[in-house]
Amino acid sequence: MRLLLLFLALLAPALSSAQQDRKEKRQSRIAPTHPNIAYGTHERHCLDLWIPKQSRDGRRFPLLIYFHGGGFVGGDKQSFDPTLYLDQGIACASVNYRFVDGESTLSPAPFEDSARAVQTLRHRADEWNLDPGRLALSGSSAGGVITLWLGYHDDLAIPESEDPIARQSTRVCCLIPINGPTNLIPDWIHSHIGGSELIHPSFRKLFGSVYSPPLTNKLRSQITSISPWEYVSEDDPPTYLVYSGRFDELPLPSTATTGKVIHHPYFGKALKEKLDTMGVENDFKFGIGLKNTPVFIDFLLNQFGIID
């Protein structure tokens, strides 16, 4: 007990420093031009929107839409910093979505929410001087999964709907997923990357059942329905795959941390190979500092037709 108390005492300053860093980052973030825009009825159906001071090309503003990470059970839109994008004339939105809880809220709720957010922004584009033809998606970890899923999924618009927002397209011009798992099937992850067979504790909350090998047909179907890998096709938008981790020797041991497994660059390498066979424009970077955002901006400016 004495050793435990000593350990906690030593750990406390580090935790306090990390919490302070997060607080200062939130406080230093540019205030949204339009905060807490509701796109649905749930308390987490909200987004922040930033509009640049001026356009670089005299046209309506292109828009980058960001989905936060957190294993679909945590995180917040305040984690996104739009500064560098705004400086380049790119409008930005950071989106909250419902958390899964294994009971009343399950998959695909976060994905459906995110699609609705994109449709809402497109529906109200005139109001904010946004270019509905120049929308890009980005997100980290769970947000990276949402980014890929939405980007590769067939258009979720319902043309015959009486709801004008539901009639809006969910198709976008490019994707920047960060540290995103690209294939969520547990046995695929375990055989290609390694780690624990249980993969991730969020599985139970996503699907309402505990995963244990082998997969049941029902659970495999549930996982497949949100796995970006399953939706890749020739008409998918250009994709810039970014991973901060090193390409460690595989397979990872069963003791590897969950974060190391689900953020491993092999996900990007495998998806790049699949995109290449489909003829989909893509790039893949790993071992890259996530603060090195100018590389993202050059990609966006090119896809938005602002630079060659």
Side-chain angles (χ1 to χ4, degrees), residues 69-105:
F72 303 103
V73 297
D76 190 82
K77 58 185 172 61
Q78 292 189 40
S79 63
F80 177 71
D81 184 351
T83 306
L84 290 174
Y85 305 100
L86 295 175
D87 290 344
Q88 296 296 325
I90 299 171
C92 297
S94 186
V95 180
N96 275 354
Y97 46 84
R98 283 175 292 171
F99 296 144
V100 294
D101 58 14
E103 297 175 358
S104 61
T105 306

Coordinates of all heavy atoms in Angstrom, one line a residue, residues 69-105:
G69 N -11.5 11.7 -32.0 CA -11.3 10.4 -31.6 C -11.8 10.1 -30.1 O -12.4 11.0 -29.5
G70 N -11.6 8.9 -29.6 CA -12.1 8.5 -28.3 C -12.7 7.2 -28.2 O -13.5 6.9 -27.3
G71 N -12.5 6.3 -29.2 CA -13.0 5.0 -29.1 C -14.5 4.9 -29.2 O -15.1 3.9 -28.8
F72 N -15.2 5.9 -29.7 CA -16.7 6.0 -29.8 C -17.3 6.1 -28.4 O -18.5 6.0 -28.3 CB -17.3 4.9 -30.6 CG -16.7 4.7 -31.9 CD1 -15.8 3.7 -32.2 CD2 -17.1 5.6 -32.9 CE1 -15.3 3.6 -33.5 CE2 -16.6 5.5 -34.2 CZ -15.7 4.5 -34.5
V73 N -16.5 6.3 -27.4 CA -17.1 6.4 -26.0 C -16.6 7.7 -25.3 O -17.0 7.9 -24.1 CB -16.7 5.2 -25.1 CG1 -17.3 3.9 -25.7 CG2 -15.2 5.0 -25.0
G74 N -15.8 8.5 -25.9 CA -15.2 9.7 -25.3 C -14.8 10.7 -26.4 O -14.9 10.4 -27.6
G75 N -14.2 11.8 -25.9 CA -13.7 12.8 -26.8 C -14.7 13.9 -27.0 O -15.8 13.9 -26.6
D76 N -14.2 15.0 -27.7 CA -15.0 16.2 -27.8 C -14.5 17.0 -29.0 O -13.3 17.0 -29.3 CB -15.0 17.0 -26.5 CG -16.1 18.1 -26.5 OD1 -17.2 17.8 -26.2 OD2 -15.7 19.3 -26.9
K77 N -15.4 17.8 -29.5 CA -15.1 18.7 -30.7 C -14.1 19.7 -30.3 O -13.4 20.3 -31.2 CB -16.4 19.3 -31.2 CG -17.2 20.1 -30.2 CD -18.5 20.6 -30.8 CE -19.4 21.3 -29.8 NZ -18.9 22.5 -29.2
Q78 N -13.9 20.0 -29.0 CA -12.9 21.0 -28.6 C -11.5 20.6 -28.8 O -10.6 21.5 -28.7 CB -13.2 21.4 -27.1 CG -14.5 22.1 -26.9 CD -14.5 22.6 -25.4 OE1 -13.6 23.1 -24.9 NE2 -15.7 22.5 -24.8
S79 N -11.2 19.4 -29.2 CA -9.9 18.9 -29.4 C -9.3 19.4 -30.7 O -8.1 19.3 -30.9 CB -9.8 17.4 -29.3 OG -10.6 16.8 -30.4
F80 N -10.1 19.9 -31.6 CA -9.6 20.3 -32.9 C -9.2 21.8 -32.9 O -9.9 22.7 -32.4 CB -10.8 20.1 -33.9 CG -10.4 20.6 -35.3 CD1 -9.5 19.9 -36.1 CD2 -11.0 21.8 -35.8 CE1 -9.2 20.3 -37.4 CE2 -10.7 22.2 -37.1 CZ -9.8 21.5 -37.9
D81 N -8.0 22.1 -33.5 CA -7.5 23.4 -33.7 C -7.5 23.8 -35.1 O -6.8 23.2 -35.9 CB -6.1 23.5 -33.1 CG -5.5 24.9 -33.1 OD1 -6.1 25.8 -33.7 OD2 -4.4 25.1 -32.6
P82 N -8.3 24.8 -35.5 CA -8.5 25.1 -37.0 C -7.5 26.2 -37.5 O -7.6 26.5 -38.7 CB -9.9 25.7 -37.0 CG -10.0 26.5 -35.7 CD -9.2 25.6 -34.7
T83 N -6.6 26.6 -36.7 CA -5.8 27.8 -37.0 C -5.1 27.8 -38.3 O -5.3 28.7 -39.2 CB -4.7 28.0 -35.9 OG1 -5.3 28.1 -34.6 CG2 -4.0 29.4 -36.1
L84 N -4.3 26.7 -38.6 CA -3.6 26.7 -39.9 C -4.5 26.6 -41.1 O -4.1 27.1 -42.1 CB -2.6 25.5 -39.8 CG -1.4 25.7 -38.9 CD1 -0.6 24.4 -38.8 CD2 -0.5 26.9 -39.3
Y85 N -5.6 26.0 -40.9 CA -6.5 25.9 -42.1 C -7.2 27.2 -42.4 O -7.3 27.6 -43.5 CB -7.6 24.8 -41.8 CG -7.0 23.4 -41.4 CD1 -6.9 23.0 -40.1 CD2 -6.5 22.6 -42.4 CE1 -6.3 21.8 -39.8 CE2 -5.9 21.4 -42.2 CZ -5.8 21.0 -40.8 OH -5.2 19.8 -40.5
L86 N -7.6 27.9 -41.3 CA -8.2 29.2 -41.5 C -7.3 30.2 -42.1 O -7.7 31.0 -43.0 CB -8.7 29.7 -40.1 CG -9.8 29.0 -39.4 CD1 -10.0 29.6 -38.0 CD2 -11.1 29.0 -40.2
D87 N -6.0 30.1 -41.8 CA -5.0 31.0 -42.4 C -4.9 30.7 -43.9 O -4.4 31.6 -44.6 CB -3.6 30.7 -41.7 CG -3.6 31.2 -40.3 OD1 -4.5 32.0 -39.9 OD2 -2.6 30.9 -39.6
Q88 N -5.3 29.6 -44.4 CA -5.2 29.3 -45.8 C -6.6 29.4 -46.5 O -6.8 29.0 -47.6 CB -4.7 27.8 -46.0 CG -3.3 27.6 -45.5 CD -2.3 28.4 -46.3 OE1 -2.5 28.6 -47.5 NE2 -1.3 28.9 -45.7
G89 N -7.5 30.0 -45.8 CA -8.9 30.3 -46.4 C -9.8 29.1 -46.4 O -10.7 29.1 -47.2
I90 N -9.5 28.1 -45.5 CA -10.3 26.9 -45.4 C -11.2 27.0 -44.2 O -10.8 27.1 -43.1 CB -9.5 25.6 -45.4 CG1 -8.6 25.5 -46.6 CG2 -10.3 24.4 -45.2 CD1 -7.5 24.4 -46.5
A91 N -12.5 26.9 -44.4 CA -13.5 26.9 -43.3 C -13.4 25.5 -42.6 O -13.0 24.5 -43.3 CB -14.9 27.1 -43.8
C92 N -13.7 25.5 -41.3 CA -13.5 24.2 -40.6 C -14.8 24.0 -39.7 O -15.4 24.9 -39.2 CB -12.3 24.3 -39.7 SG -10.7 24.4 -40.5
A93 N -15.1 22.7 -39.6 CA -16.2 22.3 -38.6 C -15.7 21.2 -37.8 O -15.0 20.3 -38.3 CB -17.4 21.9 -39.4
S94 N -15.9 21.2 -36.5 CA -15.6 20.1 -35.6 C -16.9 19.6 -35.0 O -17.6 20.3 -34.4 CB -14.6 20.6 -34.5 OG -14.1 19.5 -33.7
V95 N -17.0 18.2 -35.1 CA -18.3 17.6 -34.9 C -18.3 16.7 -33.6 O -17.4 15.9 -33.5 CB -18.8 16.8 -36.1 CG1 -20.1 16.1 -35.9 CG2 -18.8 17.7 -37.3
N96 N -19.3 16.8 -32.8 CA -19.6 15.9 -31.7 C -20.7 14.9 -32.3 O -21.5 15.2 -33.1 CB -20.2 16.5 -30.5 CG -19.1 17.0 -29.6 OD1 -17.9 16.8 -29.8 ND2 -19.5 17.8 -28.5
Y97 N -20.7 13.7 -31.7 CA -21.6 12.6 -32.1 C -21.9 11.8 -30.8 O -21.2 11.9 -29.8 CB -21.1 11.8 -33.2 CG -19.6 11.3 -33.0 CD1 -19.3 10.2 -32.2 CD2 -18.6 12.0 -33.5 CE1 -18.0 9.8 -32.0 CE2 -17.2 11.6 -33.3 CZ -17.0 10.5 -32.5 OH -15.7 10.1 -32.3
R98 N -23.0 11.0 -30.9 CA -23.3 10.2 -29.7 C -22.3 9.2 -29.4 O -21.7 8.6 -30.3 CB -24.7 9.5 -30.0 CG -25.9 10.4 -29.8 CD -27.2 9.6 -30.2 NE -27.2 9.3 -31.7 CZ -28.0 8.5 -32.3 NH1 -29.0 7.9 -31.5 NH2 -28.0 8.3 -33.6
F99 N -22.1 9.0 -28.1 CA -21.3 7.9 -27.6 C -22.1 6.6 -27.5 O -23.2 6.6 -27.1 CB -20.7 8.2 -26.2 CG -19.8 9.4 -26.2 CD1 -19.8 10.2 -25.1 CD2 -18.9 9.7 -27.2 CE1 -18.9 11.3 -25.0 CE2 -18.1 10.8 -27.2 CZ -18.1 11.6 -26.1
V100 N -21.4 5.5 -27.8 CA -22.1 4.2 -27.6 C -21.9 3.7 -26.2 O -21.0 4.1 -25.5 CB -21.5 3.1 -28.6 CG1 -21.8 3.5 -30.0 CG2 -20.0 3.0 -28.4
D101 N -22.9 3.0 -25.7 CA -22.9 2.5 -24.3 C -23.2 1.0 -24.1 O -23.3 0.6 -23.0 CB -23.9 3.4 -23.5 CG -25.3 3.2 -24.0 OD1 -25.6 2.3 -24.8 OD2 -26.2 4.0 -23.6
G102 N -23.3 0.3 -25.2 CA -23.5 -1.1 -25.1 C -25.0 -1.5 -24.9 O -25.3 -2.7 -24.8
E103 N -25.9 -0.5 -24.7 CA -27.3 -0.8 -24.3 C -28.2 0.0 -25.2 O -28.7 -0.5 -26.2 CB -27.5 -0.5 -22.8 CG -26.6 -1.3 -21.9 CD -26.8 -0.9 -20.5 OE1 -27.5 0.0 -20.2 OE2 -26.1 -1.6 -19.6
S104 N -28.5 1.3 -24.9 CA -29.4 2.1 -25.6 C -28.9 2.7 -26.9 O -29.6 3.0 -27.8 CB -30.0 3.1 -24.7 OG -29.0 4.0 -24.2
T105 N -27.6 2.9 -26.9 CA -26.9 3.5 -28.0 C -25.8 2.6 -28.5 O -24.8 2.4 -27.9 CB -26.3 4.9 -27.7 OG1 -27.3 5.7 -27.1 CG2 -25.8 5.6 -28.9

